[in-house]
Amino acid sequence: MPIFTIAIVGAGPAGYFAAQALQNSQNEERTFAIDMIERLPTPWGLVRSGVAPDHPKIKTVSKVFEKIAADSNFRLFANVEIGGDLSIAHLQEKYDAVIVATGSALGKTLGIPGENLAGSMSAADFVPWYNAHPDYADINPPLDCETAVVIGAGNVAMDVARMLALEPSELDTTDTADHAIAALKKSAIRNVYISARRGPEYAAFTSPELRELPKLEHTNVVIKKDDIDAAIARAGDAPEKDVKSNLDAMLVIAESEKSMHERTMHFLFQHTPKEILGSDHVEGIVYSTPDGDVTIKCGLVVTAIGYQAVSIEGVPYENGKVINIDGRVKENLYVVGWAKRGPSGVIGTNKSDAAAVVELILSDLQSPKSAGDISQLLTNQNVVDQSTWQKINEAEIAAGESLGKPRKKAITRAELLHLGGL
Ligand code: NAP
């Protein structure tokens, strides 16, 4: 029976769902040997380093990933970076198909004055900092100020604002990085503004995220009722379902009784960032609003306005995405997930997206190449394979157990490799 070899670059949700779709399409005529290659010593992509630590349920999808990885025709090559000695072209030569699933790791920028001041950063840096990504442990966000501002009205902005505004002891039972819990416990931030450039009817939050805000036990959440009433009027009699559920959820918050906690998360609408103020670090932000310019004094600005893909040599990019037609890039090269369609959708969106690309791959495959695999190309001795990853995974879970955490994450690459016995 023909065995086709497939390389998947990137061990995030899109990569795993592509592997799953391939596994599900095996039959008497074809099977797949899948090699998943990942730059970090750990797999799971945004499920490990993006999803907010106070959302553990979303992370249970990792069980699906581990089931996919348990297949005898699946191999993990983590701690292996594509570029330089090991190129996409090499993979294309060896494998029947190569699937790029590297996501979008770079934060988009506002392009306004002051954006490069110390204390102005992207959620693309801040989120992996609190999630123990090895490359972001040292970003030291300034938390010694009273007020922080988060720009953007999407779920990433919401995650960042919530992480800054909740009582940090609530993170003790989560897998938040130890350094982040320690820093947040010392934080002087008591006011967090989350700002949208358009009205509430255009917010990109999803309603479950809005509905959970009133459940925060130690944080006031403030939405101005006038803002929501005006948005409801503008949205008219038949708003789209998602818009209506968002406006309903925001109205509940706007109408709820005022709580008197020490920490407050404020929503601002129709606030377009104009300039970040400060001489060598952030001291404030100026917005243009329908009522004229508004200045908010703050010491931290986190921009959460979308992402773009980081380029890999040998892959064509445009507008922050891999150039592709329905997932086909060139020859035997394909793309799935955020690198393909841009940074949109929840984790599950990647399942149907990857399945559609796998359909195209199936229609393109002819006969197997039998040209070898990545193991002949590797000079790096510290490859984290599936069994090494399992050791790391089990060690982190065991270390978290006595602390009441789902896991205690190792931070540096060296620590991770040590846990894996390398
Ligand atoms: P997003 O949902 O696309 O939101 C981006 C936000 O940035 C929008 O409100 C957009 O406003 C704003 N924006 C863009 N350019 C701007 C500018 N120049 N100035 C001011 N605001 C600007 O992106 P995201 O929050 O990064 O999330 C990415 C995807 O991951 C989304 O599909 C999201 O739902 C998903 N996600 C899900 C969860 C969850 O399920 N809990 C958690 C995190 C992320 P405009 O509309 O005005 O352009």
Side-chain angles (χ1 to χ4, degrees):
M1 188 198 307
I3 301 177
F4 292 95
T5 57
I6 313 284
I8 299 177
V9 183
Y16 278 104
F17 285 130
Q20 186 185 48
L22 287 163
Q23 288 172 348
N24 290 345
S25 60
Q26 296 182 112
N27 55 28
E28 300 79 43
E29 283 155 36
R30 57 169 184 246
T31 54
F32 295 105
I34 300 168
D35 287 347
M36 182 176 270
I37 301 152
E38 164 61 47
R39 190 173 79 83
L40 289 178
T42 54
W44 303 356
L46 282 185
V47 170
R48 182 174 167 102
S49 61
V51 173
D54 61 336
H55 281 166
K57 263 195 205 154
I58 299 182
K59 300 189 193 213
T60 54
V61 69
S62 57
K63 292 207 174 90
V64 176
F65 300 163
E66 288 306 284
K67 205 169 160 217
I68 294 163
D71 191 283
S72 57
N73 281 343
F74 178 101
R75 296 188 300 180
L76 177 69
F77 292 86
N79 204 33
V80 173
E81 184 151 9
I82 299 297
D85 291 348
L86 182 57
S87 67
I88 288 285
H90 285 135
L91 296 180
Q92 281 181 275
E93 253 168 60
K94 296 267 179 208
Y95 290 83
D96 292 303
V98 179
I99 304 176
V100 174
T102 44
S104 321
L106 271 186
K108 285 191 180 150
T109 51
L110 289 162
I112 60 170
E115 202 173 6
N116 296 325
L117 287 169
S120 160
M121 59 181 63
S122 169
D125 297 340
F126 187 75
V127 171
W129 169 73
Y130 63 63
N131 275 328
H133 187 303
D135 297 349
Y136 297 88
D138 299 325
I139 64 159
N140 293 323
L143 305 177
D144 54 349
C145 47
E146 161 83 21
T147 301
V149 163
V150 183
I151 297 169
N155 285 333
V156 172
M158 175 89 89
D159 283 347
V160 169
R162 209 178 54 252
M163 286 296 287
L164 285 166
L166 51 67
E167 158 60 50
S169 59
E170 292 181 48
L171 298 174
D172 286 338
T173 54
T174 69
D175 63 4
T176 309
D178 288 348
H179 59 243
I181 297 185
L184 290 165
K185 283 188 176 169
K186 281 196 236 144
S187 166
I189 294 171
R190 294 297 176 266
N191 284 301
V192 179
Y193 289 88
I194 176 165
S195 70
R197 61 179 170 177
R198 298 194 282 164
E201 68 275 35
Y202 298 108
F205 310 125
T206 47
S207 55
E209 276 60 36
L210 285 163
R211 282 198 298 270
E212 76 175 23
L213 289 177
K215 295 179 200 151
L216 288 175
E217 282 180 33
H218 305 280
T219 308
N220 313 309
V221 182
V222 177
I223 297 185
K224 288 191 190 130
K225 186 162 169 349
D226 286 355
D227 284 342
I228 308 306
D229 287 343
I232 291 172
R234 286 192 298 266
D237 292 338
E240 275 176 33
K241 194 167 151 258
D242 291 349
V243 173
K244 183 171 182 336
S245 357
N246 267 3
L247 290 175
D248 287 350
M250 287 191 252
L251 189 62
V252 168
I253 297 172
E255 287 180 335
S256 63
E257 215 173 289
K258 217 171 146 196
S259 52
M260 299 298 285
H261 304 298
E262 206 188 327
R263 296 160 201 270
T264 306
M265 187 169 162
H266 309 261
F267 283 75
L268 299 173
F269 294 101
Q270 295 182 300
H271 276 56
T272 303
K274 194 171 163 186
E275 182 177 359
I276 299 175
L277 304 173
S279 44
D280 61 351
H281 64 277
V282 171
E283 290 171 32
I285 178 162
V286 184
Y287 288 102
S288 64
T289 80
D291 302 323
D293 284 2
V294 169
T295 301
I296 295 178
K297 278 191 178 173
C298 60
L300 171 66
V301 172
V302 183
T303 307
I305 59 167
Y307 294 83
Q308 48 193 9
V310 178
S311 303
I312 300 176
E313 208 191 310
V315 181
Y317 292 85
E318 194 173 52
N319 298 326
K321 293 185 279 189
V322 175
I323 300 174
N324 72 93
I325 297 172
D326 299 328
R328 277 194 185 103
V329 182
K330 57 181 177 184
E331 294 150 49
N332 57 344
L333 187 64
Y334 302 84
V335 61
V336 292
W338 280 11
K340 164 180 174 255
R341 63 178 197 276
S344 67
V346 293
I347 289 165
T349 313
N350 293 301
K351 193 168 173 168
S352 47
D353 178 279
V357 177
V358 164
E359 282 299 313
L360 292 183
I361 297 176
L362 298 179
S363 66
D364 290 348
L365 286 174
Q366 287 171 355
S367 48
K369 272 188 181 160
S370 309
D373 61 39
I374 188 180
S375 42
Q376 289 119 20
L377 299 171
L378 289 173
T379 45
N380 179 345
Q381 297 310 305
N382 281 332
V383 174
V384 172
D385 60 12
Q386 184 61 21
S387 68
T388 306
W389 159 239
Q390 274 164 2
K391 282 187 206 149
I392 299 173
N393 193 19
E394 282 159 20
E396 285 191 336
I397 292 169
E401 217 159 82
S402 61
L403 303 166
K405 297 174 188 282
R407 72 175 60 237
K408 180 175 155 63
K409 284 179 177 171
I411 312 287
T412 63
R413 285 182 162 74
E415 271 178 90
L416 287 160
L417 296 181
H418 177 74
L419 292 184
L422 293 178

